[in-house]
Amino acid sequence: MKVHLIRSEGFDIEDFNNVLNLLKATKGTIEFVPSEPIILPEIENFINFEDLKSFEKKGMPQLSMNDSNTMEKRVFPMKTPVFTWEQLFRICKNFRSENNISDADHVMLLTEQANDLNWFGAIDASMKNYFIHTADWDHYFQNNVDLRFPITYEIVVWLLRSLMFENRNEIIDNIHENAQGC
């Protein structure tokens, strides 16, 4: 299985390489293929977070992780540029088409840009295109988090979900019934 990792220009190359090296550390049947960085289209959508609670991911439990010494301070209300899921998946599809990537391969967009539903990642209906949100992890971890771990987790878990379930609706129905954070 080939997994093409697309790095948006704003996702730091060092962080991307750390994720890639971690993914490649274990030999197996998955081949992770890095791409050149891509420039994302101009963002047309914004989401307004009125307060901290509205910023937190859907269904996130109360966590005592907000150490003001290590976290980036956020000021609310906060207006954040976002892509829709459709836009993010279109970027994957365009990359797939422009690079003649097989329908059997997987394509994952790793981007610092938020999405309109504020999820860490998602899969499209084809079960072959994904996006992973690479920013804001400082909000969920008390100490300076090594980004490669949560991002790598998201990559691997979405691949596993694509193998475990027949379609995206089945994934959503079985993993987000009573979500307490992903």
Side-chain angles (χ1 to χ4, degrees):
M1 170 192 315
K2 274 190 182 177
V3 179
H4 299 266
L5 300 175
I6 311 170
R7 177 178 75 88
S8 68
E9 191 177 56
F11 179 38
D12 183 73
I13 184 66
E14 184 178 348
D15 291 331
F16 178 79
N17 286 334
N18 288 338
V19 168
L20 183 62
N21 290 335
L22 185 58
L23 288 166
K24 288 185 168 191
T26 303
K27 299 295 179 212
T29 60
I30 303 173
E31 177 187 354
F32 292 97
V33 181
S35 77
E36 293 296 317
I38 63 166
I39 298 172
L40 298 175
E42 189 172 322
I43 295 179
E44 300 172 358
N45 303 311
F46 292 84
I47 190 168
N48 288 307
F49 297 108
E50 294 300 320
D51 53 26
L52 180 64
K53 185 175 175 85
S54 67
F55 171 74
E56 292 176 340
K57 305 290 185 219
K58 305 259 187 273
M60 192 67 181
Q62 290 295 330
L63 302 172
S64 59
M65 298 191 254
N66 299 333
D67 180 8
S68 60
N69 295 327
T70 59
M71 285 189 49
E72 176 183 318
K73 295 264 187 191
R74 288 179 176 80
V75 178
F76 296 97
M78 178 175 75
K79 187 175 184 179
T80 301
V82 295
F83 282 111
T84 65
W85 284 22
E86 180 181 310
Q87 290 170 316
L88 293 166
F89 294 135
R90 189 175 322 120
I91 292 166
C92 293
K93 290 173 189 173
N94 290 343
F95 181 86
R96 181 181 290 279
S97 174
E98 292 165 6
N99 293 280
N100 297 317
I101 295 173
S102 164
D103 289 343
D105 291 356
H106 298 257
V107 172
M108 288 196 171
L109 172 62
L110 306 179
T111 180
E112 74 291 352
Q113 292 300 325
N115 60 85
D116 59 342
L117 296 180
N118 207 26
W119 280 34
F120 296 123
I123 189 171
D124 77 351
S126 77
M127 302 285 283
K128 299 291 184 178
N129 298 309
Y130 316 75
F131 68 81
I132 306 296
H133 185 205
T134 62
D136 295 329
W137 290 102
D138 63 309
H139 179 73
Y140 300 97
F141 294 93
Q142 189 169 17
N143 298 315
N144 294 328
V145 64
D146 185 337
L147 289 178
R148 66 184 162 158
F149 296 119
I151 295 168
T152 299
Y153 167 83
E154 285 294 318
I155 292 168
V156 171
V157 78
W158 280 107
L159 283 173
L160 288 172
R161 289 171 180 157
S162 76
L163 298 171
M164 291 170 55
F165 298 99
E166 292 292 320
N167 57 59
R168 181 170 65 172
N169 289 340
E170 212 177 282
I171 293 173
I172 303 303
D173 289 346
N174 286 290
I175 67 170
H176 283 102
E177 189 170 316
N178 291 312
Q180 294 297 310
C182 293

